[in-house]
Amino acid sequence: MEMTINKLPAPTWNRLGMNESRISNITIDAAQKAQIQVPNVAITRESTEIDWNSLNSGLGQDMDILGASIEADSFHVEKDTHGNEPVVYRLQISGTDTASAGMLDIYAEENSESSYIFTTANESGCAGLSALQVKVYAKKGAKVRLYFAQLLDKSYDVLHDVGGFCEEDASVETVYISLGGNRVYAGGLIDLQGQRSGMDAKIGYLGRDDQHIDMNYVARHQGAKTESNMEISGILRDQAFKLFRGTIDFLHGSSGAVGNEKEDVLLIGDDVVNQTIPLILCAEEDVEGNHGATIGKLDESMLFYLGSRGISKEEAERIIAKAKIDALCSLIPDEAVRKEVEVYHGGL
């Protein structure tokens, strides 16, 4: 399959070729068999009548086409469900799988709260493509929290996709930690349809060697007084490449909406390539949109201070990079998964 993914909602960067990404020769052999732990009887693995293909996602429609032949796992969260332990969804790719996918749909009923932890890793000696798509429909007042730890090695290309739809007072929160993979394509799009609905995305990544990271996150404000927040923190070293697209889209009817997007990038080395597109689209007057990016190397005075205490530049860079990942890792509500992340990035 030839795929066009991570398209900006409005083309603005034609000269630099950053509006979208095109990838080719993409195939999926089979659905990946995930290990799933569901700790609460109020969360059941039931399908619903939702037309999931109508929900937009960050990677875009071609991701839906790619996964059309894959039967998705489904979760149905009952009304007024609270205080649950997180569902844990583990994709451990074995040597017999070269291109596999995990597809998951979450239907959260009114005033429910639920959390989901996703880990993706592979056994040594195998290579190929790993695709994961998660879609969420949050009814009135529902709160859905998604935590992702991408721990694949350099032998795998990655497609990671999130789409969501929020009714009144509903919200979708995402924490995504991307540490591995070769060519990584990640995206998320949340439709804030209902009044006072919200999106919160905290994204962390480490790009190393000649790794290629391509991301697209969109907050689509449709309802009045909706709120979005995107925080992106990354480290690039060696010859790594990263492109981040972050869009706050204020549509008609989003009066009183607030959107914030901020990226912080630490550059380690002179051969990295960093591209950032902070984009605000506005079709409504009474809204507030804020975006910004901080991009740079470690402060020379900090390096001098650490050097005076016997810490080399390389060790200082490792300490700072580890601190950035640890800050996001601490948000994952499962000690075993936090340990997996710590062990993985401790060896990088």
Side-chain angles (χ1 to χ4, degrees):
M1 181 177 175
E2 310 295 312
M3 298 179 67
T4 299
I5 57 175
N6 282 348
K7 296 177 66 173
L8 282 172
T12 60
W13 294 78
N14 290 321
R15 184 176 65 84
L16 298 178
M18 297 161 64
N19 283 313
E20 61 193 21
S21 293
R22 292 184 175 90
I23 53 179
S24 59
N25 300 321
I26 303 300
T27 61
I28 293 294
D29 296 333
Q32 177 68 30
K33 299 299 182 182
Q35 299 175 356
I36 304 176
Q37 299 173 340
V38 185
N40 194 293
V41 295
I43 302 177
T44 58
R45 298 181 63 179
E46 297 178 353
S47 60
T48 63
E49 299 298 323
I50 297 293
D51 178 12
W52 293 102
N53 283 335
S54 68
L55 267 68
N56 298 298
S57 65
L59 262 64
Q61 188 177 22
D62 278 2
M63 187 66 177
D64 294 327
I65 297 172
L66 180 69
S69 61
I70 303 297
E71 183 178 357
D73 289 300
S74 298
F75 287 98
H76 186 170
V77 189
E78 295 180 6
K79 182 178 180 179
D80 297 322
T81 299
H82 294 282
N84 297 292
E85 295 181 17
V87 173
V88 179
Y89 186 97
R90 296 178 181 272
L91 288 171
Q92 179 71 30
I93 304 173
S94 70
T96 59
D97 298 315
T98 57
S100 55
M103 318 294 286
L104 182 69
D105 301 328
I106 301 169
Y107 182 78
E109 291 197 25
E110 294 183 4
N111 300 315
S112 63
E113 293 187 14
S114 56
S115 300
Y116 307 82
I117 301 174
F118 303 85
T119 65
T120 309
N122 65 281
E123 296 178 355
S124 62
C126 56
L129 172 73
S130 173
L132 174 63
Q133 184 185 65
V134 179
K135 288 194 173 183
V136 178
Y137 192 103
K139 297 281 287 183
K140 180 179 179 180
K143 313 295 181 188
V144 178
R145 301 177 181 90
L146 309 173
Y147 303 89
F148 299 91
Q150 190 269 98
L151 307 176
L152 294 159
D153 65 29
K154 261 296 299 302
S155 63
Y156 268 84
D157 291 337
V158 181
L159 297 174
H160 177 276
D161 193 28
V162 174
F165 185 94
C166 293
E167 294 187 359
E168 181 181 341
D169 293 314
S171 67
V172 174
E173 300 177 17
T174 301
V175 174
Y176 177 50
I177 302 174
S178 178
L179 298 181
N182 179 38
R183 299 181 69 86
V184 179
Y185 300 92
L189 186 153
I190 307 298
D191 272 310
L192 302 176
Q193 177 70 36
Q195 294 186 33
R196 297 178 300 279
S197 57
M199 164 197 178
D200 187 90
K202 292 179 172 62
I203 314 299
Y205 61 87
L206 170 60
R208 58 195 174 93
D209 301 323
D210 59 350
Q211 190 176 21
H212 181 105
I213 302 173
D214 186 305
M215 295 180 285
N216 180 50
Y217 284 84
V218 181
R220 182 176 290 169
H221 293 261
Q222 301 190 62
K225 299 182 180 180
T226 49
E227 185 171 347
S228 67
N229 182 62
M230 288 183 272
E231 298 178 20
I232 306 91
S233 181
I235 306 104
L236 295 175
R237 72 186 198 195
D238 307 319
Q239 295 83 42
F241 168 92
K242 185 238 51 179
L243 167 57
F244 177 79
R245 308 170 186 86
T247 302
I248 303 169
D249 192 359
F250 295 110
L251 301 173
H252 286 294
S254 61
S255 177
V258 178
N260 297 288
E261 182 261 316
K262 181 181 179 182
E263 183 180 16
D264 178 22
V265 188
L266 174 62
L267 307 179
I268 300 177
D270 298 324
D271 298 322
V272 300
V273 176
N274 177 71
Q275 296 178 339
T276 297
I277 305 176
L279 178 63
I280 294 180
L281 303 173
C282 191
E284 188 65 64
E285 292 185 3
D286 182 22
V287 294
E288 179 183 341
N290 305 288
H291 63 66
T294 302
I295 302 167
K297 299 183 179 182
L298 288 178
D299 184 72
E300 290 296 330
S301 61
M302 178 186 295
L303 291 174
F304 178 81
Y305 174 82
L306 294 174
S308 67
R309 280 151 180 78
I311 300 175
S312 67
K313 178 181 178 181
E314 291 74 19
E315 179 64 12
E317 291 172 342
R318 191 193 69 80
I319 291 171
I320 299 301
K322 183 178 185 300
K324 283 178 172 286
I325 300 301
D326 287 345
L328 274 182
C329 183
S330 67
L331 300 176
I332 299 175
D334 185 277
E335 184 176 356
V337 175
R338 291 197 300 269
K339 185 64 176 177
E340 286 181 51
V341 176
E342 291 168 2
V343 169
Y344 184 94
H345 80 79
L348 297 177

